[in-house]
Amino acid sequence: MNFKILTSVLAAALSCCGAAELPAVKIIATGGTIAGEAATSAQSGYTSGQVGVDTLIKAVPTLNKIARVSGEQISNVGSQDMSDAIWLKLAKRINELAAQPDVDGIAITHGTDTMEETAYFLHLTVKSRKPVVLTGSMRPSTALSADGPLNIYNAVAVAADPLAAGRGVLVSINDQIHSAHDITKTHTTATDTFMSPYRGVIGATAYGVSQYYRTPFRKHTVDTPFNVDNATSLPRVDILYVYEDMPGDLVDAAVKAGAKGIVAAGVGNGNMPKAVMDALSRATQQGVVVVRASRVTLGFVGRNVEVDDDKLNFVAAEELNPPKARVLLRLALMQTSDPKAIQAMFNTY
Ligand code: GLU
């Protein structure tokens, strides 16, 4: 073999093996604004969930420098239409993929409206320590300064990063890495909408290079008893937003409609008018589990402050906001309807 041929064979071998050494990241697309399209690049109106996963990947050609990516389309919906059926399909598929030795991490594209709920659902039901990272965007893929491509790049980088492993399900967005437990959407349209206002971010990412500041405090993923791999449905839990002079009949309506649990998005420290408290107490006597959360952004709802939870058999939501309290309550109700056992879960996850 002459020298020229030898060097080209060696170069081909090196380029092959260098690429093979890159982590393998599966991108699962569910829809959202990140896959949204508008008629022009400068308008507010658009339709979520129009663009497929291959187009999302093609929009970020440099992805192949940080990972071996492949895509899968699970759904293509605006996340206001996220459903139990998609949640169950997603959790099962992630558990299948994460069990494969040739998958190093999973990135999920998702609408931002309900991203915190999906992330927390997966945080409790994914049975793997491998990185599972959600991302989305506030601007559709056709917009001026679309934020999707860099968010996908950073999410894939985090999913490919061994340092992200064991931190539960993460959301990588707007150059920050959040825990599914802590993140919440705070602004209807701004690109810096996501915050973890109570416990702070997990880390930060700049063009695919990440720094990690902490691990989540609460248990998650492999350290929960929640497994939906064989589930076909989730129990109904309704959220009732509490307000001045609220009547109790909304509680009765939820019970009549078949709710197995009710999350009260209470005022202040999970408080509610007496009529609502009486109606919720009646609901517990019919076996419905009542969780007191708060409509306030910050702080936690603890037991027996102004409401006698011990006497009324209520559960206090601790740090979980109402939509996340609903997620945990639904999973808890698949195992027990004992308020004391469920309170222990709210103290743990
Ligand atoms: N409704 C859209 C969704 O959640 C808007 C939010 C977004 O993705 O930015 O899919």
Side-chain angles (χ1 to χ4, degrees), residues 26-107:
K26 184 66 89 173
I27 301 178
I28 301 180
T30 69
T33 297
I34 198 164
E37 270 183 334
T40 71
S41 63
Q43 65 176 71
S44 296
Y46 69 96
T47 311
S48 283
Q50 298 297 299
V51 166
V53 66
D54 293 334
T55 308
L56 291 179
I57 292 173
K58 272 196 209 118
V60 197
T62 42
L63 277 181
N64 63 14
K65 302 268 184 272
I66 55 170
R68 287 174 291 138
V69 294
S70 55
E72 248 181 65
Q73 192 84 43
I74 285 263
S75 62
N76 211 355
V77 295
S79 72
Q80 59 271 44
D81 287 321
M82 190 45 61
S83 65
D84 294 356
I86 302 173
W87 270 7
L88 292 172
K89 192 173 164 193
L90 188 59
K92 288 173 197 181
R93 186 63 186 139
I94 291 170
N95 282 332
E96 275 169 16
L97 288 168
Q100 293 175 12
D102 57 347
V103 173
D104 295 302
I106 296 163

Side-chain angles (χ1 to χ4, degrees), residues 30-36 46-49 77-81 110-115 135-140 147 173 185 188-189 193-194:
T30 69
T33 297
I34 198 164
Y46 69 96
T47 311
S48 283
V77 295
S79 72
Q80 59 271 44
D81 287 321
H110 194 289
T112 57
D113 286 354
T114 58
M115 186 183 286
T135 196
S137 76
M138 293 301 285
R139 296 177 181 145
D147 49 337
I173 197 157
K185 189 175 186 180
T188 50
T189 55
T193 180
F194 280 107

